């Protein structure tokens, strides 16, 4: 019997290594009488760790030479958590990153234990970014489990580098009138466990992850905004947090001002800006910052967006990872590069593509030192080198359905390519009968930038509303006029890293090419 008791106790200790509880570690630093939250941070050998950043989501501090931190709680403090240092493992519990503890009334002390990485901080690693799983029911979750999850796991298994991941919001799909949290979040939590996806997958909040709390703009307060995030925090942890891998500081933030599901906007509260300022104050300026949010920031003047971008400017390299749109877009701005990711659910699980024709999928970023060395958008169910869909301009998509569409460039001798991960630095070449005849050009500014195949399927075949499913401002469409309309055609696209992708198969409006997903 004593042997079994010992085993149970040992297992319990392992479970709480990440989301640690208090233990018998003596507090060697005097605790200020005004301190509401304090604790000791050690490694798994009991060594006290100095300089570990700890936060309650509103203020940040660092542990002293005795491994002790002290915080004064704010009005809305809900959890206390670490910014995981680069040289330590990601603490895990129930298959997900667990670097926080929920604050409980009458308790002030919260200790943490970190385990050093066997080889020290990783100079190279892969970061998987998964935007908008957006599951509302068991049918959606089944597709996520059967399509997205094994696809991610296979890419992790094939990698020779350490792999980490983060979702980019809208894990669930709450609406104006219906809260699906209790039905969806527990099942999605299981779906995203490390034994299924193969990597530690951090979570980020999207607008559809907010609790159903509706107030008018006139009645909106910070308290409403914070109340709407509590269900997410309870299941997945903090909504504003950071962690380090290698020479990279990765930040995740809720960038939604949320009176209701019907009336929300891009932005940051003042307290969030102050939290970020404090968090970044501990980060050397020669690090790269990867800033993860749900709604694309671009160069917006929405509430406090410019203040956040100013805080990011001093760092060596800045990449913003976002989702929300259900289309893909890559853009360079003065202070940052923003990657707007196609959704894992595509057009809300109605097909296998997003509204702009980007396949359902996710991105994989190869990080080396303080830069992103390469990246690919990985289409779910396809090889990683599937990066181009090719069309003939004269085809009708989908003929016999209403509405049907053609591409803007519709000549018999014209072709169109959708290259969803492209940006201004890509080179798109055309070969006719094996000979290079020219380069494709981005759509002209006055062109209707529609993927006619995607719109034809969603609006024509499925009868969905053009307002949501007919995107006419896609940024990654290219056109070319062939020298011979009867030539054998190959399109080669070379990215900024020198990787070349090719496509010679034309996608048609025939049923055999429909992106059927349900």
């Amino acid at each position: 019997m004593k042997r079994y008791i010992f085993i149970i106790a040992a297992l319990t200790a392992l479970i709480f290594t990440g989301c640690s509880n208090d233990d018998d570690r003596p507090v060697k630093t005097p605790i200020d009488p005004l301190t509401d939250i304090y604790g000791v941070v050690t490694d798994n050998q009991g060594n006290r760790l100095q300089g570990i950043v700890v936060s309650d989501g509103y203020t940040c501090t660092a542990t002293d030479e005795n491994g002790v931190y002290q915080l004064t709680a704010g009005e809305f403090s809900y959890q206390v958590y670490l910014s995981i240092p680069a040289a330590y493992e990601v603490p895990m519990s129930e298959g997900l990153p667990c670097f926080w503890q929920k604050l409980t009334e009458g308790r002030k002390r919260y200790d943490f234990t970190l385990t050093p990485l066997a080889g020290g901080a990783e100079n190279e690693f892969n970061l998987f970014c998964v935007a908008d799983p957006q599951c509302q029911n068991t049918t959606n979750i089944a597709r996520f489990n059967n399509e997205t999850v094994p696809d991610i796991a296979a890419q992790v298994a094939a990698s020779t580098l350490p792999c980490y991941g983060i979702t980019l919001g809208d894990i669930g799909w709450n609406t104006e009138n219906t809260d699906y949290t209790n039905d969806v979040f527990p099942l999605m939590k299981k779906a995203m466990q490390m034994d299924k996806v193969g990597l530690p997958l951090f979570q980020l909040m999207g607008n559809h992850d907010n609790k159903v709390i509706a107030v008018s703009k006139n009645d909106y307060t910070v308290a409403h905004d914070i109340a709407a995030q509590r269900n997410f925090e309870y299941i997945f942890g903090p909504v504003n947090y950071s962690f380090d891998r290698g020479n990279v500081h990765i930040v995740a933030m809720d960038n939604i001002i949320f009176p209701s599901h019907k009336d929300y906007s891009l932005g940051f509260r003042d307290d969030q800006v102050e939290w970020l300022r404090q968090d970044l104050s501990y980060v050397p300026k020669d690090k790269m910052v990867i800033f993860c949010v749900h709604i694309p920031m671009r160069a917006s003047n929405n509430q406090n967006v410019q203040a956040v971008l100013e805080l990011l400017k001093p760092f060596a390299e800045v990449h913003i990872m976002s989702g929300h749109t259900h289309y893909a877009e890559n853009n360079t701005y003065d202070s940052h590069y923003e990657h707007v990711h196609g959704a894992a659910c595509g057009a809300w699980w109605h097909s296998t593509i997003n509204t702009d024709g980007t396949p359902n999928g996710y991105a994989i970023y190869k990080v080396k030192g303080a830069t992103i060395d390469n990246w690919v958008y990985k289409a779910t169910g396809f090889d990683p080198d599937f990066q181009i869909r090719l069309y003939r301009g004269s085809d009708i998509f989908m003929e016999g359905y209403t509405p049907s569409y053609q591409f803007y460039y519709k000549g018999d001798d014209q072709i169109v390519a959708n290259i969803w991960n492209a940006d201004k630095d890509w080179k798109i070449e055309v070969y006719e009968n094996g000979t290079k005849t020219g380069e494709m050009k981005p759509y002209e500014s006055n062109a209707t930038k529609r993927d006619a195949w995607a719109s034809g399927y969603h609006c024509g075949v499925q009868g969905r509303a053009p307002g949501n499913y007919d995107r006419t401002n896609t940024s990654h469409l290219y056109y070319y006029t062939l020298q011979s309309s009867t030539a054998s055609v190959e399109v080669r696209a070379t990215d900024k890293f020198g990787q070349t992708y090719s496509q010679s198969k034309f996608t048609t409006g025939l049923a055999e090419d429909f992106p059927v997903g349900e």
Side-chain angles (χ1 to χ4, degrees):
M1 178 63 73
K2 288 181 179 178
R3 179 171 176 267
Y4 294 133
I5 292 171
F6 174 79
I7 291 173
I8 292 169
L11 289 172
T12 302
L14 283 174
I15 290 170
F16 286 106
T17 297
C19 301
S20 303
N21 283 338
D22 306 346
D23 61 16
D24 295 328
R25 286 173 268 194
V27 179
K28 297 181 178 179
T29 299
I31 301 302
D32 190 297
L34 298 178
T35 291
D36 301 303
I37 307 166
Y38 72 94
V40 181
V41 182
T42 66
D43 67 14
N44 59 342
Q45 300 300 313
N47 299 306
R48 293 162 183 268
L49 302 179
Q50 184 175 6
I52 307 299
V53 178
V54 184
S55 178
D56 67 341
Y58 299 93
T59 58
C60 300
T61 189
T63 54
D64 63 17
E65 67 276 9
N66 296 316
V68 175
Y69 71 89
Q70 302 184 52
L71 288 165
T72 301
E75 178 183 359
F76 300 111
S77 299
Y78 184 72
Q79 292 159 326
V80 58
Y81 51 92
L82 303 173
S83 182
I84 307 167
Y88 293 85
E89 295 179 2
V90 173
M92 303 291 289
S93 179
E94 298 182 339
L96 293 176
C98 187
F99 49 94
W100 70 89
Q101 295 182 57
K102 185 178 179 298
L103 300 175
T104 56
E105 189 174 354
R107 178 183 168 196
K108 290 188 174 183
R109 182 175 174 180
Y110 301 85
D111 292 347
F112 292 91
T113 302
L114 291 169
T115 300
L117 286 164
E122 301 143 330
N123 187 55
E124 296 183 65
F125 64 92
N126 286 329
L127 180 66
F128 288 58
C129 290
V130 186
D132 301 84
Q134 203 157 337
C135 293
Q136 192 176 75
N137 51 49
T138 54
T139 300
N140 299 158
I141 294 169
R143 286 195 61 189
F144 183 74
N145 270 314
N146 296 331
E147 298 171 27
T148 311
V149 168
D151 201 277
I152 293 172
Q155 293 305 303
V156 174
S159 175
T160 59
L161 295 176
C163 294
Y164 302 91
I166 186 166
T167 62
L168 297 174
D170 281 3
I171 295 166
W173 192 354
N174 290 339
T175 63
E176 181 184 355
N177 299 313
T178 308
D179 196 315
Y180 297 93
T181 300
N182 292 335
D183 296 326
V184 169
F185 277 6
L187 295 177
M188 289 300 285
K189 183 177 181 179
K190 289 182 180 179
M192 295 185 288
Q193 290 174 342
M194 186 170 177
D195 64 343
K196 297 181 176 67
V197 294
L199 46 65
L201 186 58
F202 291 81
Q203 308 302 325
L204 184 145
M205 189 170 189
N207 54 291
H208 285 290
D209 297 321
N210 279 282
K211 186 178 178 180
V212 177
I213 296 177
V215 295
S216 68
K217 275 191 174 179
N218 290 336
D219 295 330
Y220 167 80
T221 66
V222 169
H224 290 113
D225 201 83
I226 291 172
Q229 71 192 34
R230 286 297 188 232
N231 284 349
F232 181 94
E233 289 175 303
Y234 181 79
I235 297 291
F236 295 115
V239 297
N240 303 303
Y241 63 91
S242 67
F243 62 98
D244 285 359
R245 296 292 88 183
N247 202 26
V248 184
H249 188 64
I250 301 170
V251 181
M253 290 193 75
D254 170 18
N255 70 337
I256 304 149
I257 303 299
F258 191 82
S260 71
H261 284 276
K262 187 179 179 180
D263 186 14
Y264 63 87
S265 61
L266 163 68
F268 299 88
R269 301 186 310 267
D270 291 347
D271 63 270
Q272 291 180 282
V273 177
E274 176 57 21
W275 173 85
L276 180 63
R277 185 193 67 75
Q278 293 187 32
D279 175 81
L280 294 177
S281 71
Y282 295 97
V283 182
K285 297 299 187 289
D286 60 352
K287 279 183 177 282
M288 173 169 64
V289 174
I290 294 179
F291 191 74
C292 302
V293 292
H294 181 59
I295 298 179
M297 292 171 59
R298 300 186 174 97
S300 172
N301 288 312
N302 276 37
Q303 181 174 334
N304 280 327
V305 171
Q306 288 300 316
V308 166
L309 294 177
E310 282 297 318
L311 289 173
L312 297 174
K313 267 186 181 179
F315 293 91
E317 188 171 317
V318 177
H319 290 261
I320 294 180
M321 310 298 187
S322 59
H324 182 63
T325 60
H326 299 258
Y327 62 78
E329 188 175 271
N330 290 324
N331 280 311
T332 303
Y333 299 90
D334 289 342
S335 59
H336 64 278
Y337 190 110
E338 181 156 16
H339 311 253
V340 181
H341 295 72
C345 74
W348 301 274
W349 295 115
H350 292 307
S351 63
T352 58
I353 56 173
N354 285 257
T355 59
D356 64 341
T358 298
N360 295 9
Y362 52 93
I364 307 172
Y365 298 89
K366 180 178 176 290
V367 177
K368 185 175 183 179
T371 191
I372 293 179
D373 193 45
N374 196 0
W375 77 77
V376 65
Y377 181 86
K378 173 62 178 68
T380 304
F382 291 87
D383 291 336
D385 61 0
F386 176 57
Q387 298 292 321
I388 307 168
R389 192 173 278 111
L390 191 58
Y391 309 101
R392 291 196 181 276
S394 57
D395 283 354
I396 298 174
F397 303 91
M398 307 308 187
E399 192 165 13
Y401 292 90
T402 303
S404 61
Y405 299 92
Q406 276 189 285
F407 284 93
Y408 184 83
Y409 299 99
K410 60 184 70 174
D412 291 341
D413 55 353
Q414 290 184 305
I415 61 172
V416 173
N418 190 337
I419 309 174
W420 39 84
N421 197 35
D423 64 16
K424 62 182 179 60
D425 295 326
W426 283 49
K427 184 178 182 180
I428 320 295
E429 301 170 296
V430 179
Y431 289 76
E432 298 182 48
N433 297 324
T435 301
K436 179 180 174 180
T437 58
E439 296 185 8
M440 301 191 82
K441 296 179 180 179
Y443 265 38
E444 302 292 342
S445 60
N446 63 338
T448 302
K449 301 175 181 67
R450 167 193 290 125
D451 184 309
W453 176 72
S455 295
Y457 182 71
H458 291 136
C459 302
V461 176
Q462 293 191 327
R464 303 195 182 280
N468 286 330
Y469 292 88
D470 176 29
R471 177 159 175 76
T472 58
N473 195 29
T474 296
S475 63
H476 41 78
L477 292 174
Y478 298 81
Y479 75 99
Y480 183 77
T481 301
L482 298 170
Q483 292 185 3
S484 170
S485 61
T486 61
S488 173
V489 177
E490 179 190 11
V491 170
R492 298 180 188 174
T494 303
D495 67 18
K496 64 177 67 183
F497 307 106
Q499 179 69 44
T500 299
Y501 308 96
S502 69
Q503 184 61 270
S504 56
K505 178 185 181 297
F506 284 90
T507 296
T508 72
L510 300 176
E512 64 196 47
D513 285 341
F514 286 1
V516 178
E518 61 180 24

